[in-house]
Amino acid sequence: MRRKSLPRAPGKTAFTLAVAVTLSACDFTRPPDPFEAHPDVVTIALLLVAGESEARLLAVHPHRPRDGDAPKITATLKGPGWTAAFSEELELESCTNSASWPGPVRCLGATLPEQIGAIGDYTLEGTAPLGSFRGAMNMPAPPDLLEPEDDLELPAPARGTGVEIPVKYRTGSDVGTLMADVTDAFETLDDGTEVEINRHHLGPFPRTLEGAEADTVYVFYNANPVRFRLSLLGIGRHYTNFLAHIGTFPTPKPWPSFGIEGEGVYGYFDGLTRSPAVQVRIR
């Protein structure tokens, strides 16, 4: 049964899937070779988000015409003491913000009996047109946001410019990609009324941090005072490895783990954890 995208609480950011973070439709098309050019090959993307009680799986037939049949797969997620099937057909926007894909695409959802933990092992089993597939991953430890360590207030810059926020952090070896994110963004209008705004008014968030221990987060400022919560996102190495091998031909071997293996299936299976947030005010 098809249903609408699942509702979101105000200010909550849903990252399932990572395609909504950084991937685009082109990233799921690999150069043709005897295996990958098969029309029944399926690309799968699955990112579990700590604190969420739902999971979303994106499946694509990258070598079929766009008006062809969407992937027919079954998939089951296993957590600590429970099993949940991807049995809900969701609107595509629940899985990705990309409007264009190289082939037919499908978004599947699973309602979980408990929230995804910030630590723990998860496995995936399923079937695709060319055979079965399986996956396994361990949630990465949440990153530590060291600075700013307390709520921060910054003076407003000139209108139409921005503010640079230096950040320092510490991550474990299981984090392959680190990103800065803002949530719960509010603007104070001229009459003193405070209204919630889309976080993208502050810039293209989440954004990748490049420094090993420190970097700078740039926040755009228009005219009125704003406040928001700043936190860091840690994504595991399966996702990072997958990004590193996009577009390479031939793909070098031995391949690192992307978290998924099987007959006629490639993609990634990984987890995302969030650091505690600090409140930032610009006024």
Side-chain angles (χ1 to χ4, degrees):
M1 178 178 68
R2 190 172 185 85
R3 66 185 181 90
K4 295 181 178 180
S5 304
L6 296 169
R8 294 276 170 254
K12 183 178 180 181
T13 304
F15 285 96
T16 319
L17 296 163
V19 276
V21 180
T22 36
L23 295 184
S24 69
C26 297
D27 294 329
F28 278 79
T29 305
R30 296 167 75 98
D33 65 25
F35 170 75
E36 292 167 348
H38 196 293
D40 287 338
V41 165
V42 177
T43 302
I44 288 176
L46 174 56
L47 184 74
L48 301 184
V49 181
E52 290 198 353
S53 57
E54 293 168 310
R56 294 168 182 79
L57 182 151
L58 185 75
V60 187
H61 274 313
H63 305 299
R64 282 188 180 181
R66 292 183 61 185
D67 59 354
D69 293 335
K72 295 180 180 179
I73 69 168
T74 65
T76 300
L77 180 67
K78 294 184 178 181
W82 54 260
T83 300
F86 285 91
S87 58
E88 301 170 86
E89 188 87 13
L90 304 179
E91 298 292 344
L92 187 57
E93 63 188 32
S94 294
C95 282
T96 174
N97 58 6
S98 178
S100 177
W101 289 90
V105 59
R106 188 181 185 195
C107 176
L108 296 175
T111 300
L112 312 180
E114 64 181 16
Q115 292 182 345
I116 296 295
I119 58 174
D121 298 315
Y122 295 87
T123 59
L124 177 70
E125 295 181 353
T127 60
L130 295 179
S132 62
F133 61 90
R134 64 210 62 85
M137 72 90 181
N138 182 267
M139 292 293 289
D144 292 324
L145 178 57
L146 305 179
E147 292 184 14
E149 58 182 347
D150 297 310
D151 291 352
L152 182 67
E153 184 166 326
L154 300 169
R159 180 173 180 172
T161 58
V163 173
E164 293 184 344
I165 304 175
V167 293
K168 293 184 179 180
Y169 40 80
R170 180 173 55 234
T171 63
S173 59
D174 53 355
V175 172
T177 299
L178 183 67
M179 310 185 87
D181 188 36
V182 299
T183 56
D184 301 330
F186 292 85
E187 177 181 1
T188 301
L189 304 181
D190 293 340
D191 63 1
T193 303
E194 191 175 55
V195 296
E196 187 169 10
I197 59 174
N198 189 306
R199 63 190 177 132
H200 295 302
H201 292 178
L202 302 175
F205 287 99
R207 62 179 59 179
T208 303
L209 299 176
E210 303 293 347
E213 299 178 345
D215 209 326
T216 301
V217 176
Y218 182 86
V219 177
F220 180 76
Y221 182 85
N222 186 15
N224 296 321
V226 294
R227 67 175 175 90
F228 54 88
R229 296 177 66 80
L230 173 68
S231 60
L232 303 182
L233 309 176
I235 306 177
R237 294 196 172 275
H238 291 165
Y239 168 84
T240 308
N241 290 340
F242 186 82
L243 289 186
H245 285 73
I246 286 172
T248 57
F249 181 69
T251 303
K253 294 183 178 181
W255 292 345
S257 174
F258 307 139
I260 292 179
E261 59 182 18
E263 293 79 23
V265 172
Y266 64 84
Y268 67 86
F269 175 34
D270 216 332
L272 178 152
T273 54
R274 184 187 293 271
S275 73
V278 297
Q279 182 83 29
V280 178
R281 297 178 182 271
I282 303 176
R283 57 187 179 184

